[in-house]
Amino acid sequence: MKKLTLEKAKVLSNEETGTDSGIFLLKLKIDNLKSPLIRPGQFARLRSLNGRPFPRPFAIARVNGHVLYFYIKAVGDNSSNTRQFARLEPGVEINISGPHGKGFEPLPGIKRYLLVGGGVGAAELFPIAEELIRNKIPFEFLQGAKTKKGLIFHDHLLDNGVWPDLIHDIWEDDPDQPGQVTDLLEKALAERLPDQAVIACGPKLMLRKVFDLCGARNVTCLVSVAEVMGCGCGVCHGCAIKMIDKTYRQVCDDGPLFDAYQIDWTAFIPKPPVALISRSRKKQPNGPLKTILYGQERRRLILNPAPVMIASGCSDIAADHQAAGAIIFKSTMLEKKIGNPMPRLCELPCGAINSIGLEGGGIKQVIDEYLPILKATGKQGIISIAGRTADEYGLIMKKLEQSGKLGRAVIEVNISCPNDDRAGMSFGVDPHDTFQVMEIVRHHASPNRFIILKPTPNVTDIVVICQAGKQGGADAFTICNTLLGTDIDIETRRFKLGRGFGGLSGPLMLYPALYLISKVYRANLGLPIIGSGGISSGDDALKHLLAGASAIQVGTASFSDSNIVEKINSRFLEYLGENKEAEHIQDIVGMAQQP
């Protein structure tokens, strides 16, 4: 069918379906809309006029005259596409194209349908239900969601006497009676009525279970796999799914509805989750979060009450750090340093670029002011150091030891700061320089001093740098520091930072950090990894641990959320409660399996 292009649409309303549901009903008015060309099951691509967010496909939930209905579930951080669509205000104009995909047509010989919707996926079934009403074909609507707030309703169906059978995983009124929409389907299929078909839309695992139930009873089954779509217009080929005849179909062109019996479900559904086992009890203390990191030569770092810290330079050491496993000092150099020219910070939609330049009072201030504060807190301290030469790193370490004030403090050797041409990162791009710095720091440190190496991600192979650091005496690695980046002011035609470039941090850094952590973890160097980069929630922190980190540091997120450490600790405990076979948070380290 020739695709109709709808250039502009105006937002009539955009309202959340319920308090804190996270699901928004967006109504768009299109003056030149030709509604007969839109078939049930089709979708449209939405895009704001300024090009942000990126175009996204959404199921057309209803056509009412010149108005289109869309249900949008806002997920991710505030910069995500869905959250930006959820914030569209009445009167705003956006770009829209469609309809895309193949529409639903009643199947010959089918006299009864079971419509099965999971979460916001139910929206795609609403126009199909209206089509069945128009054709006077009986059907039942089965609808489920994780919580009651996730259930969505369609007034037009209610007005026609269609009342869905509802269920949700978590029952607020009766926690002992949870259920899933496939439970409703199993009961409905038990009647074994002839000439019936099932149409389902929802998460992939739900669709697989729907197919299994239908397959066991030889019931016709259509499933919508719209969840996997990317561009929605056949360009990216990201939505290709494998069929049993070994061909591939594009969801946006050939779907989104497919005969479930033609899909290669083994290729479509990820493998079951990797089983967790309790493997850390002998090495870890009592309590699910208190953690011991084991370095070389029996050196240890104890993180209490949890393996979560605020990254170097992101917190006042005198602040309340009771929930953190350790206090990390801002990187210090041998002498007082002013730092880089202003401006030093450039805010981005995905985080920030900073060019501070290791400003600080030098090692004397650390010894005279900061170490006494650390002693008063009683917390585990981590002293971050940086130098312009390998000998300077060694001299800083020597002065710290000679002060007699270090106690059980840990050293983090920063060879990754991108904001000083003669310090930090200049030693992290060459394995020989890395080895030399680590060797001289280890030489001047006490034998039992736990030393962490913080390498730069701005290298071809971070594993080579870590190997050199281990040979020089490192006990752990902090991965990763910031990536180089910059931004430009188009009005002044100047770089936004006084130095021109700096270190990129914030949510966008999560993904390169996960890659680098997993790469070092799978190199089997035998030393613990402290994950850092892009963590803004408990789930982000869990991803770091699953990738291979034994502890984490939170940076940019701590500026906007002073309780981020507490929230991450709570999420860790919640995750262990959901996966009871894991007794300690270290049981999940490195459990993410690559294909």
Side-chain angles (χ1 to χ4, degrees):
M1 184 185 73
K2 184 178 180 180
K3 295 177 181 178
L4 171 67
T5 298
L6 310 171
E7 294 182 352
K8 286 188 179 179
K10 181 176 290 186
V11 177
L12 286 185
S13 63
N14 193 14
E15 299 177 352
E16 197 166 8
T17 58
T19 304
D20 297 326
S21 70
I23 300 174
F24 293 79
L25 174 55
L26 173 65
K27 296 182 181 180
L28 301 178
K29 183 180 180 182
I30 305 168
D31 292 333
N32 65 336
L33 178 63
K34 298 178 182 179
S35 56
L37 294 179
I38 300 176
R39 297 295 302 156
Q42 291 186 304
F43 60 92
R45 297 173 71 239
L46 307 184
R47 180 178 182 177
S48 63
L49 294 181
N50 64 7
R52 295 181 181 179
F54 189 78
R56 281 290 301 271
F58 293 99
I60 301 172
R62 190 187 179 200
V63 183
N64 184 16
H66 290 269
V67 180
L68 294 180
Y69 291 45
F70 301 90
Y71 286 88
I72 297 174
K73 184 177 182 179
V75 296
D77 58 36
N78 288 331
S79 64
S80 72
N81 279 5
T82 53
R83 290 202 181 277
Q84 291 187 57
F85 281 119
R87 290 196 295 266
L88 291 175
E89 297 181 353
V92 171
E93 286 190 333
I94 69 170
N95 289 324
I96 181 171
S97 70
H100 299 280
K102 293 183 177 179
F104 165 77
E105 298 289 347
L107 300 173
I110 298 298
K111 298 179 180 178
R112 177 176 179 265
Y113 287 85
L114 293 172
L115 305 185
V116 184
V120 75
E124 188 172 331
L125 300 177
F126 291 159
I128 295 177
E130 292 189 47
E131 178 77 2
L132 296 176
I133 291 173
R134 284 191 291 270
N135 286 275
K136 298 181 180 180
I137 302 175
F139 68 92
E140 290 184 41
F141 205 127
L142 312 179
Q143 192 174 342
K146 188 174 182 62
T147 66
K148 186 184 296 183
K149 295 177 182 178
L151 295 169
I152 58 177
F153 301 93
H154 193 22
D155 291 341
H156 186 67
L157 295 183
L158 300 179
D159 293 342
N160 280 272
V162 178
W163 294 87
D165 293 331
L166 304 174
I167 199 167
H168 42 98
D169 295 1
I170 303 173
W171 284 62
E172 291 87 347
D173 301 329
D174 188 354
D176 295 326
Q177 296 294 326
Q180 297 180 339
V181 70
T182 47
D183 298 331
L184 297 178
L185 176 62
E186 189 168 13
K187 292 179 181 178
L189 290 174
E191 299 181 30
R192 295 183 178 276
L193 297 176
D195 303 326
Q196 66 178 347
V198 172
I199 304 177
C201 182
K204 290 189 289 186
L205 291 176
M206 184 207 90
L207 296 181
R208 176 58 195 262
K209 191 168 183 180
V210 168
F211 170 65
D212 288 342
L213 290 171
C214 292
R217 297 164 176 82
N218 198 29
V219 175
T220 299
C221 180
L222 301 179
V223 294
S224 172
V225 292
E227 180 188 12
V228 303
M229 281 196 293
C231 68
C233 60
V235 173
C236 72
H237 293 265
C239 65
I241 61 171
K242 189 177 181 181
M243 314 305 285
I244 58 173
D245 62 2
K246 298 185 180 181
T247 62
Y248 285 83
R249 303 286 181 85
Q250 296 267 109
V251 174
C252 57
D253 283 337
D254 302 314
L257 280 174
F258 288 93
D259 180 347
Y261 291 89
Q262 299 303 312
I263 295 175
D264 184 340
W265 288 96
T266 302
F268 184 65
I269 297 293
K271 295 179 181 179
V274 176
L276 298 174
I277 59 172
S278 179
R279 54 192 169 90
S280 60
R281 181 55 50 210
K282 294 181 180 180
K283 293 185 177 181
Q284 296 299 329
N286 293 329
L289 298 187
K290 184 178 179 181
T291 294
I292 299 176
L293 302 186
Y294 292 87
Q296 301 190 73
E297 304 294 332
R298 298 185 179 181
R299 291 183 287 267
R300 305 190 309 168
L301 169 58
I302 300 175
L303 300 172
N304 186 27
V308 184
M309 300 161 274
I310 301 294
S312 172
C314 297
S315 178
D316 184 350
I317 63 169
D320 183 5
H321 292 280
Q322 291 304 309
I327 299 173
I328 306 179
F329 289 26
K330 178 178 175 63
S331 291
T332 183
M333 299 190 70
L334 185 62
E335 304 292 341
K336 181 177 180 179
K337 190 172 186 297
I338 295 176
N340 287 332
M342 301 292 182
R344 297 178 175 177
L345 189 67
C346 171
E347 189 173 358
L348 306 173
C350 55
I353 303 175
N354 84 84
S355 180
I356 308 302
L358 298 176
E359 178 176 334
I363 196 62
K364 186 176 187 304
Q365 184 181 42
V366 172
I367 293 172
D368 295 343
E369 299 180 26
Y370 296 163
L371 289 180
I373 294 175
L374 174 64
K375 183 178 180 180
T377 66
K379 293 288 292 184
Q380 172 65 61
I382 299 179
I383 318 298
S384 179
I385 64 173
R388 290 189 171 91
T389 65
D391 287 338
E392 194 169 296
Y393 277 96
L395 185 55
I396 294 173
M397 187 70 254
K398 182 177 181 180
K399 286 181 175 293
L400 285 170
E401 292 287 7
Q402 290 178 342
S403 72
K405 298 181 180 180
L406 265 186
R408 57 189 177 92
V410 167
I411 303 299
E412 183 177 73
V413 180
N414 181 358
I415 57 169
S416 56
C417 177
N419 294 319
D420 191 307
D421 291 329
R422 295 178 297 163
M425 198 180 85
S426 60
F427 298 97
V429 296
D430 186 301
H432 300 288
D433 292 340
T434 299
F435 172 79
Q436 187 179 18
V437 168
M438 273 306 312
E439 184 182 45
I440 197 168
V441 171
R442 172 56 66 195
H443 173 75
H444 289 288
S446 67
N448 295 324
R449 186 74 59 200
F450 195 96
I451 300 178
I452 304 166
L453 179 69
K454 191 173 185 178
T456 176
N458 297 288
V459 292
T460 303
D461 189 352
I462 196 172
V463 172
V464 174
I465 303 299
C466 290
Q467 288 172 331
K470 178 181 179 179
Q471 293 172 3
D475 295 303
F477 310 111
T478 296
I479 299 173
C480 63
N481 206 333
T482 57
L483 286 168
L484 289 170
T486 190
D487 197 7
I488 297 172
D489 187 324
I490 62 173
E491 300 298 331
T492 64
R493 296 179 291 281
R494 293 179 180 273
F495 288 90
K496 290 185 178 181
L497 293 170
R499 187 172 179 245
F501 64 92
L504 174 65
S505 65
L508 189 63
M509 279 297 299
L510 175 65
Y511 311 102
L514 293 177
Y515 165 71
L516 292 172
I517 290 168
S518 63
K519 185 173 183 178
V520 174
Y521 179 78
R522 283 165 176 75
N524 295 317
L525 299 185
L527 296 180
I529 298 168
I530 301 171
S532 178
I535 298 174
S536 56
S537 69
D539 285 355
D540 293 342
L542 286 169
K543 292 177 183 179
H544 272 245
L545 298 188
L546 290 168
S550 296
I552 64 160
Q553 296 177 8
V554 186
T556 304
S558 65
F559 295 139
S560 58
D561 188 351
S562 60
N563 296 317
I564 185 65
V565 174
E566 289 88 342
K567 291 178 180 178
I568 291 174
N569 290 345
S570 296
R571 181 64 180 117
F572 281 177
L573 292 173
E574 182 182 49
Y575 192 78
L576 291 175
E578 296 167 352
N579 298 273
K580 298 186 183 300
E581 61 272 29
E583 298 179 4
H584 194 279
I585 196 63
Q586 294 302 304
D587 291 338
I588 77 170
V589 171
M591 293 303 290
Q593 298 294 304
Q594 294 183 357

